[in-house]
Every structure is written in structure tokens, then in C-alpha cells.
Amino acid sequence: MNVIKRHGLNLTINSLLSGLILMVVGVVGFITILLLYGFPIFEMLSSLGTDAVDSFELDENTVSLWAKMGGSFIMLFLFVFTSCFTVAGMIGSVNDVVFRNESSRWSGIRYGFQNLWGTMKVQLLLLLSFLVVLIPIGLVLMIPIVKELVSIFLFVLLIAIYSATFHVFIARHEYELGVMESIKWGMVTIRDAFGPTLLSSILARLASTGVLILYVLSLALIYKIDTWITPDGYPFIFMVMLLILTCVFIPIMILVEQFIITTRFRDKIAPRVFTHFSSK
């Protein structure tokens, strides 16, 4: 029993450390790439705009717009890169715990790089698919009579889709599916296991909300203590603890949601939908 408890504790600690390391590396990587490439390129575009106005007598507002668009594109790319790296690492490390009862504090980083490109392709295709679906839905919502009924239906459906998108990444990683195949079977979970998929979303959101409430209460307590210690000074302790707690609680929130959805995927979803796929 002690061995089982110790093993479970080690898995939990390694998972939390993996999530924390993954988030720190993602944020630091984002800032580093931004400093090395983003700001210099944005500055170059801005200076190019000034030179172009002088040399070719272009409209200054037009060139400034192009410079801002270039900077926005760089920011968007960095955000997508960091997001895909974090998702790939989190999915892989949690899958190791849930499906194989093993974990490493560096598994998030390893899976982040290993599955980066595949995760990026899935996210982009999911985004395009949702845009294609949302356009006709937006047109339907313009009809006043059906607006309320459709809105209620969409709200429930979107809750289920929240878990289904996670199922896409879990299935792709665990069953080594192609991009289109993983999206197809991930969304099939809404059709063939709608109840369990919907419940997974609700339980995951409730759990993460509980962690968020604990985070806010911790900040409020620290703020009270800090203002009591330094009533007339700058709340230095609060700012330091805000940074520390944010770095700790955000990975915990993401991990809690991921563990709930992945565990229910293994126990409730996969036996219904992925019966002919074999796990790693």
C-alpha cells in the first residue's frame, strides 16, 4: 500500500513539475523569440515605412498599416507556436500517466517538441473547420424566431465540443492517427458518446473553477497580509507572490482539466468509439 501511495505521489509531483516546466519554457521561449525576432522585425518594418515614404512618396498611413500588420502576424505566429508547444507537451505527459501509469518531469518538454508540428496542423484545421461551420450558424442566428432556440442548442453543443477537441489531440497522440483521421474520430465522440463527452466538459470546468477560486482566495489572503505588514509601502510581497502563484496555479488548472478529460476518455469514451484502435 505504501509503495502504491508513494508511486501515486511521485506521479502527481512529476506531472505538476512537468506542467510547470512546460509553462515556464513556453512563456520564456515566447518572450525570447519575441525579443530576438519579433521586436527587431517590427522595428525594421516601421523604419522601412519611414524610408519608403521619403524615397517613393508613399502614403505614410498605408506603410504604417503594413508595418502593424507585419508585427501582428509575428505576434500571432509566436502565440500559435507557444500554444501548440504547450498543448503537445501537456497531452503527451498526461497520456503517459493515464494510459501507462508513468511520468517524467521532462516529458512535457519532450512531447512538446516531438508533437509540435502535428499539433499545429490539427489546431489550424480545427480552426478552419469551426470557421466554416460558424458562418452558416451566424446567418441562422440573424433570424429572430429561431435565435433563442438555436442559441440554447449551440451552448450545450459547444460544451461538448470543448472535450471533443481534447479528444482529437488525445486520440492523435495515443493511437498515432493522421491529422484528418484524428479530427474525424475526435468529433465522432460527440455523436457516439454525447452524454459522457458533455459530462467530461462540465466536470473539467467545475474542477478548474474550484482551483481558480482557491487561487483568488490565496491572492486575497496574501494581499491582506502584505497591506498589514506594509500599510504605507508598495505591496512588494504581493507582487512577488502573484507571480509565483500564477506560475503554479495555471499549470495546475490546465492539468486538472486534462486529467479529468483524459481519464474519462480512457474509461468512458474510448470503449465506445475507439474499440478498433490500439493504444501505444
Side-chain angles (χ1 to χ4, degrees):
M1 181 64 71
N2 289 333
V3 174
I4 295 175
K5 287 182 177 178
R6 191 160 55 247
H7 181 61
L9 180 61
N10 288 336
L11 282 176
T12 304
I13 293 174
N14 282 336
S15 299
L16 289 174
L17 286 174
S18 176
L20 180 59
I21 293 170
L22 184 65
M23 294 294 292
V24 170
V25 170
V27 172
V28 171
F30 176 83
I31 295 173
T32 302
I33 295 173
L34 187 64
L35 291 174
L36 291 176
Y37 299 102
F39 287 138
I41 293 176
F42 187 81
E43 187 68 26
M44 180 189 70
L45 288 171
S46 299
S47 61
L48 178 63
T50 304
D51 295 338
V53 169
D54 295 337
S55 303
F56 302 102
E57 297 182 353
L58 296 176
D59 180 67
E60 186 175 356
N61 292 329
T62 302
V63 177
S64 177
L65 176 63
W66 278 103
K68 290 177 181 178
M69 289 176 61
S72 300
F73 176 79
I74 293 168
M75 293 292 292
L76 178 62
F77 172 78
L78 294 177
F79 175 78
V80 170
F81 179 89
T82 307
S83 172
C84 291
F85 174 79
T86 306
V87 170
M90 199 70 70
I91 295 289
S93 60
V94 172
N95 274 21
D96 275 353
V97 176
V98 173
F99 287 92
R100 285 167 288 283
N101 201 28
E102 61 184 35
S103 179
S104 166
R105 63 193 62 182
W106 298 105
S107 61
I109 304 299
R110 175 164 57 89
Y111 285 121
F113 286 111
Q114 181 178 316
N115 300 325
L116 175 64
W117 176 235
T119 302
M120 188 176 294
K121 288 191 292 185
V122 171
Q123 281 198 343
L124 290 175
L125 281 175
L126 279 174
L127 178 60
L128 290 174
S129 301
F130 288 144
L131 288 176
V132 170
V133 173
L134 286 175
I135 291 174
I137 290 176
L139 296 175
V140 172
L141 289 177
M142 294 174 66
I143 305 173
I145 301 176
V146 298
K147 182 178 180 180
E148 287 75 15
L149 293 176
V150 174
S151 297
I152 295 172
F153 170 75
L154 286 177
F155 177 74
V156 176
L157 184 62
L158 285 173
I159 295 176
I161 289 176
Y162 178 78
S163 280
T165 53
F166 280 92
H167 295 164
V168 172
F169 295 106
I170 296 170
R172 173 173 170 77
H173 176 85
E174 195 58 30
Y175 304 121
E176 298 180 338
L177 305 179
V179 174
M180 295 303 298
E181 195 177 12
S182 60
I183 292 176
K184 170 193 169 183
W185 286 103
M187 292 303 157
V188 165
T189 60
I190 299 178
R191 185 193 68 190
D192 293 353
F194 181 78
T197 300
L198 179 65
L199 185 58
S200 293
S201 293
I202 295 173
L203 292 175
R205 296 307 298 169
L206 286 175
S208 64
T209 301
V211 177
L212 178 61
I213 292 173
L214 182 61
Y215 168 67
V216 173
L217 290 176
S218 301
L219 288 180
L221 178 62
I222 293 170
Y223 181 77
K224 280 300 232 182
I225 294 174
D226 189 28
T227 53
W228 176 66
I229 295 174
T230 57
D232 300 324
Y234 184 78
F236 175 75
I237 298 175
F238 175 74
M239 298 303 295
V240 173
M241 292 304 299
L242 172 64
L243 178 62
I244 295 174
L245 287 177
T246 301
C247 291
V248 171
F249 271 94
I250 288 180
I252 290 176
M253 288 174 61
I254 297 174
L255 278 171
V256 164
E257 286 196 357
Q258 189 62 55
F259 268 113
I260 290 174
I261 292 176
T262 305
T263 302
R264 286 184 55 80
F265 175 89
R266 181 197 63 189
D267 298 337
K268 304 294 184 181
I269 310 296
R272 294 192 185 191
V273 181
F274 294 88
T275 53
H276 56 292
F277 291 104
S278 57
S279 182
K280 285 182 179 178

